[in-house]
Amino acid sequence: MDEVEVVVAHSERATLRVGDVFLKVDADQAHIDVEVEAMSLAPVPTPKVLWRKPPVLALAAVPGTTLGRLGGPSTGSPAAWAAAGATIRKLHDAPLPPRTGGAGRSILALAAELDAECESLVTNGVLPADLVTRNRRVAEAALRPWAPVFTHGDLQIAHVFVDGGEVTGIIDWSEAGQGDALHDLATFTLGHEEHLDDVIAGYGTDVDLDVIHAWWALRSLLVVRWLIEHGFDPFAPGCEVDVLRSRM
């Protein structure tokens, strides 16, 4: 009998792997609704839905491996990273989905959350004031008008699988919807700045690097406290706090 592997688990949701089946358990069925709808619309490789019985969604494993993980060594050739960029561009060029996604929050909402989070990080002594202040300034460049595209919304490196020079699957679509294209590109390259040029080459269009850097800072500032509260370590080498330090 296959063992049950806990892929990720916290108070909001959990993902388990049993053999070649992933079981996603989510207390908020809206996340599952978004995921299933997005996978049906996305013109890129996605997991096959095996069955759905709330609060569980069963998905088939996708072939290949990820290009690495945040805080760990990156793998894959420049061609593989470029292939990921080309696949992301294909998603962004697709017809808009009906919903606003995690990458589509308004400038005002993001700015308000960022201000509150920065104040909390400093007041509670989570991060030094100079580190927060510097990265808050860097993050400003992300708070600008943008044209909506079909975004994944949580395009972490661990969510993209490749085999050789081909993308074989993109997983975890619960934040998908209309959003800022550079949010996806920045999330994918977070902590792996050395591969940004390869990704942009595959993406095939000019990208504002100041905005990418801004999203690295903004995303990291917003998640540090959440990660700590949910049992993760943003202070681990190569993770979010190191990303913030790299902007100093």
Side-chain angles (χ1 to χ4, degrees), residues 41 75 85 153 173 198:
L41 297 173
T75 60
W173 291 81
D198 297 325

Side-chain angles (χ1 to χ4, degrees), residues 41 43 91-97 149-150:
L41 297 173
L91 174 67
H92 290 171
D93 285 344
L96 289 174
V149 300
F150 192 155

Side-chain angles (χ1 to χ4, degrees), residues 146-214:
W146 42 268
V149 300
F150 192 155
T151 53
H152 180 279
D154 189 23
L155 199 62
Q156 302 175 43
I157 187 175
H159 292 163
V160 179
F161 286 72
V162 299
D163 186 1
E166 178 183 358
V167 173
T168 54
I170 300 178
I171 65 172
D172 286 354
W173 291 81
S174 61
E175 298 293 327
Q178 297 182 29
D180 179 0
L182 297 193
H183 178 286
D184 271 356
L185 289 173
T187 302
F188 183 63
T189 55
L190 184 74
H192 292 287
E193 185 170 357
E194 71 276 14
H195 291 293
L196 178 59
D197 287 345
D198 297 325
V199 173
I200 292 175
Y203 193 72
T205 188
D206 290 338
V207 169
D208 189 330
L209 295 182
D210 287 340
V211 177
I212 295 289
H213 298 160

